[in-house]
Amino acid sequence: MTYSLKLYGYVLECTNNKYYVGIAYNLNKRIAAHFSESNKRGSVFTKIYKPIKCVASYDLNTESYQEAELYENLLTIYYSKQYGFENVAGGNFVVRDTLIRKKSIENCIKLNEIAEYRDWE
């Protein structure tokens, strides 16, 4: 019997209009950990801002954790553009200091804009 190590991305809507982006091998188990009463296996963010519901999940179509982390960061940037950097945490953008998180996200957006116009071939 073979087991799939496929990774998934997910987005949780949390209290105070906050959003949390994460990745997991076992999507249902990971989301359940965030929603558990003790939240011992959830994240620090979802201990502070309790999850309300899962608003999106994504089959990342990869078994590479490093690749999934890149997707997690991209999803965090995407949702930050929609809901504001101060309202979204995930990936490398889980720092509590909103000014640091804002600067990190702005730098990534600038790098992405530069990359879109650069000829990489």
Side-chain angles (χ1 to χ4, degrees), residues 1-91:
M1 181 195 248
T2 59
Y3 294 95
S4 171
L5 296 177
K6 191 188 291 191
L7 281 145
Y8 299 88
Y10 60 93
V11 181
L12 301 177
E13 180 182 347
C14 301
T15 56
N16 294 3
N17 297 313
K18 305 292 184 190
Y19 292 83
Y20 178 79
V21 178
I23 55 175
Y25 285 109
N26 186 326
L27 183 63
N28 293 332
K29 184 176 180 180
R30 183 66 181 136
I31 290 173
H34 288 292
F35 279 91
S36 74
E37 283 296 318
S38 64
N39 196 2
K40 289 181 182 176
R41 299 210 182 261
S43 70
V44 172
F45 189 86
T46 59
K47 287 177 183 167
I48 298 168
Y49 304 104
K50 303 293 183 204
I52 298 168
K53 64 182 176 180
C54 181
V55 294
S57 62
Y58 304 90
D59 181 342
L60 300 179
N61 200 29
T62 185
E63 293 181 5
S64 165
Y65 199 83
Q66 290 174 325
E67 191 175 333
E69 287 177 317
L70 293 174
Y71 284 121
E72 181 180 26
N73 287 330
L74 291 172
L75 283 170
T76 303
I77 291 168
Y78 173 79
Y79 279 89
S80 293
K81 284 181 169 181
Q82 285 188 312
Y83 299 108
F85 70 90
E86 66 279 0
N87 295 318
V88 180

Side-chain angles (χ1 to χ4, degrees), residues 98-113:
T98 55
L99 292 177
I100 294 171
R101 188 164 58 219
K102 177 184 180 195
K103 191 71 169 167
S104 296
I105 289 172
E106 286 174 347
N107 287 338
C108 286
I109 291 169
K110 286 178 190 173
L111 287 173
N112 185 49
E113 289 169 355

